[in-house]
Structures are given as C-alpha cells and as structure tokens.
Amino acid sequence: MLSLLITLLTLRCVDAKSEDAFAQRGYYITFMRMPTYDLADWKKIVDGIHDDGGNTLLLWVAGAFRSPKFPITWRYNADHENIRQDFVRALIDHAHSKGIKVLLGFTPFGYDGVNQYSLEHTNLKAIGKDGKPVQPFGIGCWGFNLCPSKPESQRFMLEYTREMVFDFYPNADGLLIESSDYAICHCKDCGEHFFEREFEFVRRISNEIWAKKPDATIVVFPHYFSGSEVPGFGVKAAKLPFDPRWSLVFSPHSAHPEPALIKRAKSSLWWDDSPALRTPNEIRAGARRAKEIGATGYVPSLEAFTFVATEAEEGQSWLKGRRQIPLGFGWLEPGEPPYNELPMQVQRIAYREFSRNPDLPFETYKQILGRDLFGSVSTPRLIDDALNLQAILNFQRTWCQPSPLTSPERVRAMKMRGELTSQKRSDYRAALDRLKNIEQMHRESRSSGEKELHRITNWVLNLWNDKEAAPLIAPNN
Ligand SMILES: [Zn+2]
C-alpha cells in the first residue's frame, strides 16, 4: 500500500513537472510609462505575477530612475513615483521573496530616457533614411534616437546603464537590452553596420556585468548574430559571434525566431501583446507559438500606461494633455493599478493556465475562469458574459487609445476626421446592445464577481447615456 502511494506520488510529481511548458513565465511591463504607482502598488503587481505562476519580470526602468549624471533622462518623468522616491531596489527584493527574477529593461540608443540625451546633445541625433537628422519620436517620452557610431553616444549609453545596474539596482538579476523597433541610424558609418555599432555597447556592458555577476541573465535581440533581414528597417542583422551566456527574445513584429540561435542560447523568450491588447484566445495562441519555436519562456506584455501625453501619441491630437487610461479601464482613479479588475483577471487566468499548459482545451480554461471569478454560482452564461465584456474593452484598443466602445472622445475625434462611417456606428451599437443584455441579466448579482461584471458593464453603458455622446453613434447621425 505504501509503495503504491509512493508510486502515485512520484507519478504526480512527474506529471506536475511535465505540465510546466516553460522555464520562464511572467510579464513585460513598461514601468517608466506608469508614473502613478508607488511601492505598495508595485508590490501588489509583483504578487499578482506570482499568483499567475510567474518567475520573471521584464521591468523597463530607463527614464524612471533618478540618474545623477544624466538628469535630462528623467526630467520629463519628474512626477514618476520612483523619481520622487526611489523604490525599485526594494521592489526587486520583494520580487525575490516571491521567487521572481527582475531584468531591467531599456533600449540602446533610443526610446525612453535615452532619447532625451539628444535634446541637449543635438549632434548625436541619428540620421533617417532621407539622409536628414531624425524627427522626434516616442511613446510617452519623445526625443531623438542616437547615432551609435558617435563615441559620445557609446560613452553615454555605457555610463547611463552602469548607473542603473551597478549604482541603483545591483540586486537585479540582469538586463533586457531591447533593440529599437522603430528606427536605426542611416548615417554613412551606421547603415548596414548599425547593429555592429549597437553591439559594441552590448558586448561591453554584458562583459562588465558578467565579470561582477557571472550568472546574470542578459536578454538581447537576435540582430547581432542572425544575419537575417531585420523587420521594418531594410538592413540586415549583423553576423557576430554568439556567446551562449546570452538569452534571446523574439517577437511577432520586431524579431523573428531563429531556431539555430535558440538552441544555443542560455534561454529564449517569446514576447507578444496578447495579455495587454487582445483576448484569451490570442494568449493561448501565443503560448503555443512560444512552444512551437522552442522558446524556454513566454513573457508577453502587460503594459498599461498612465502618463500624461505631451504629444499627439499615435497621431491622435485629442490625446494631448490627457492622462493615459490604463488598459482602457476609465473607471479607475489615476493611482489605482488595473491588474485586479475583472477584465484583466480574465486575461491573467488565461495566461496562468495556457503558459502552464499551452494544449489546455479552451473549454477547460472557461471552467477554471468561472470557478475563479464566480465560485460555486458560476454558470456558462456568466463565463460567456465575462469573456464578452473583456473582448469589448479590448475591441480595437491600441497602446494609447481606449476602445471606441469605451471612449466617446475617440469616436468624436473619428467623426471630426470624417472616419466615423455608418458601418462603424452600427457595429458599435450592436456591441452596446450585447452589453445591455449583460447588464439586465446581472442586476440581481449573487457573487462578488457577478457584481463586478454588472458594475463595469453599467459604467460602459453610462458613457453612452450622456446627451453629448449618444448622438455620435445614433443611426441617423
Ligand atoms: Zn549613425
């Protein structure tokens, strides 16, 4: 009997182990674009990652730590809670207490923090395809990407990164060196050699970190090694020697999988935008894709922005001067993190289940979702309504714009531009009719999950009960 029990227990352990599809699970979060959350909020966010089975946090911190050498890098972000009072080191300690490794994210020669340096050092601006200095660009943090062939750009990148890794957050587990997905430098020294120039910095900072911390995880893009066409830039990746201490990251839009490199890397991560922007079906597809390419981890985006836009993000002038709405959840106060809200629970439970087992049948996920959200009073109707509400909140949502279904302001801007067709208005009315149905169904809520479902549905419908908003989508407008 005892031996049978031991056999059964052993089988159970083997099963549990074989169920874990990935060694690295967790999320990519753009910390620098979330100025409104303090240490207490972030600890809860980290606890949530732990609840979702995560052990990895890609935390993008450039632009959001108070660099003494380069104050221009955070001046735009002076209201960020971590600029007001630095807490990321304590946050990393907290993450470690939950078994979560934290990798510090930044982009070499571009994006947040770094692109501010060229505001003061205009000679370092990268050159565009047209042979002229680049135009300002950014998401939240607007500036100019740098030319890596300029020694001053290299020096700045090294010193800024050293500050972040060695002075500020030496307890971090490594780096995410995220190559730009929007621009390179096309000057005569860069061009086809751009990624060789970028690599000079990457190689050097990696060596410095490994000298101090040999087991540090340094995640890089394949653009230094693969020799393949780099999506979007019209240049090829470099073909430099690969050090198997590096980990790699791949994504649908900026770095296509490289099977030969994946086999040699310390670890390899698949990234996509499913948890942030899409639905549970795409999360399942993302987990399956990660497995199919042989990635050791699936670490997709959980980005939620709360910065005040100073520029027309995504070309949308109506966003200028407004605070970004995290995940489009407009019922939240600026300091309230969005990750425990019901539509995000739908996504997080999907991530937890499909990143553990990408082959899990969708019906099984639905049952688990019902149990977690509604407990013993769960019904198929409730589960479908929760999935519908989540899909409506992410319907045509973009990084910076809420769904048109939850943003009369966005629909008004579409109307002003002549883009609000009768087809669109009719699609929006049909979606809102589905919501009205959900709202009526759950007026007599029996569980806290059902109350939440009703509350959020009601919030969306009330946006359109407004006398200025309603005519925007009326049939004969
Ligand atoms: Zn250049």
Side-chain angles (χ1 to χ4, degrees), residues 414-462:
M414 288 163 71
K415 187 181 177 190
M416 305 276 275
R417 290 196 304 265
E419 294 168 5
L420 187 60
T421 59
S422 64
Q423 181 64 51
K424 280 181 185 165
R425 293 202 311 271
S426 135
D427 290 348
Y428 299 166
R429 285 196 307 275
L432 292 171
D433 283 343
R434 289 199 297 278
L435 273 187
K436 278 177 198 159
N437 203 288
I438 295 176
E439 191 276 329
Q440 282 158 10
M441 187 74 191
H442 304 292
R443 282 187 187 163
E444 312 290 325
S445 308
R446 287 187 297 157
S447 65
S448 58
E450 193 177 3
K451 283 194 179 74
E452 280 302 283
L453 184 63
H454 183 260
R455 179 182 66 89
I456 296 167
T457 307
N458 215 14
W459 173 83
V460 179
L461 292 172
N462 276 335

Side-chain angles (χ1 to χ4, degrees), residues 70-338:
F70 308 107
I72 187 73
T73 58
W74 52 264
R75 195 167 292 151
Y76 80 100
N77 215 1
D79 284 342
H80 195 292
E81 291 288 347
N82 193 56
I83 296 292
R84 291 165 185 254
Q85 190 171 9
D86 199 284
F87 61 77
V88 165
R89 194 188 284 216
L91 180 66
I92 294 169
D93 285 341
H94 180 75
H96 288 164
S97 77
K98 298 276 170 181
I100 294 170
K101 290 190 172 175
V102 180
L103 307 182
L104 307 170
F106 68 99
T107 289
F109 308 103
Y111 268 131
D112 308 49
V114 167
N115 69 8
Q116 301 297 284
Y117 193 63
S118 45
L119 300 176
E120 287 181 342
H121 301 79
T122 51
N123 60 318
L124 302 182
K125 280 183 197 173
I127 300 298
K129 274 187 180 156
D130 59 1
K132 293 178 186 153
V134 288
Q135 293 296 307
F137 180 77
I139 302 174
C141 176
W142 284 62
F144 306 90
N145 53 313
L146 311 180
C147 166
S149 291
K150 301 254 169 48
E152 170 65 9
S153 301
Q154 292 277 343
R155 185 190 69 84
F156 160 69
M157 275 316 307
L158 270 174
E159 292 185 5
Y160 183 57
T161 312
R162 283 174 188 150
E163 278 189 320
M164 180 170 75
V165 185
F166 300 129
D167 302 345
F168 276 74
Y169 313 122
N171 55 342
D173 301 278
L175 290 182
L176 165 67
I177 305 181
E178 183 182 342
S179 286
S180 168
D181 61 359
Y182 74 94
I184 59 169
C185 181
H186 295 272
C187 80
K188 63 176 175 25
D189 297 317
C190 294
E192 284 290 330
H193 300 285
F194 175 83
F195 288 104
E196 291 166 38
R197 302 285 175 268
E198 184 172 291
F199 184 74
E200 287 170 29
F201 158 73
V202 171
R203 172 87 260 184
R204 196 155 163 197
I205 194 73
S206 299
N207 284 347
E208 289 183 17
I209 291 171
W210 283 326
K212 290 196 178 185
K213 211 186 244 192
D215 62 343
T217 298
I218 302 179
V219 181
V220 299
F221 273 59
H223 305 339
Y224 317 117
F225 319 109
S226 71
S228 313
E229 189 79 20
V230 177
F233 296 146
V235 302
K236 282 200 158 61
K239 258 196 126 155
L240 294 156
F242 181 70
D243 183 329
R245 285 179 294 178
W246 274 306
S247 295
L248 293 166
V249 60
F250 300 91
S251 79
H253 75 296
S254 61
H256 300 152
E258 297 284 344
L261 282 171
I262 287 175
K263 285 199 185 84
R264 295 173 58 206
K266 176 183 170 183
S267 55
S268 45
L269 309 178
W270 178 244
W271 178 100
D272 66 30
D273 59 16
S274 306
L277 286 182
R278 300 176 197 274
T279 69
N281 264 310
E282 285 85 12
I283 295 175
R284 181 171 71 151
R288 288 181 170 194
R289 178 79 176 129
K291 203 174 164 193
E292 180 187 284
I293 68 165
T296 60
Y298 179 39
V299 185
S301 168
L302 207 68
E303 290 161 84
F305 300 157
T306 67
F307 60 85
V308 175
T310 55
E311 302 288 335
E313 301 288 344
E314 300 173 352
Q316 304 293 310
S317 54
W318 66 277
L319 291 173
K320 229 171 143 172
R322 291 171 189 244
R323 189 173 290 287
Q324 285 280 296
I325 298 169
L327 303 171
F329 299 168
W331 59 88
L332 295 172
E333 295 297 321
E336 275 183 287

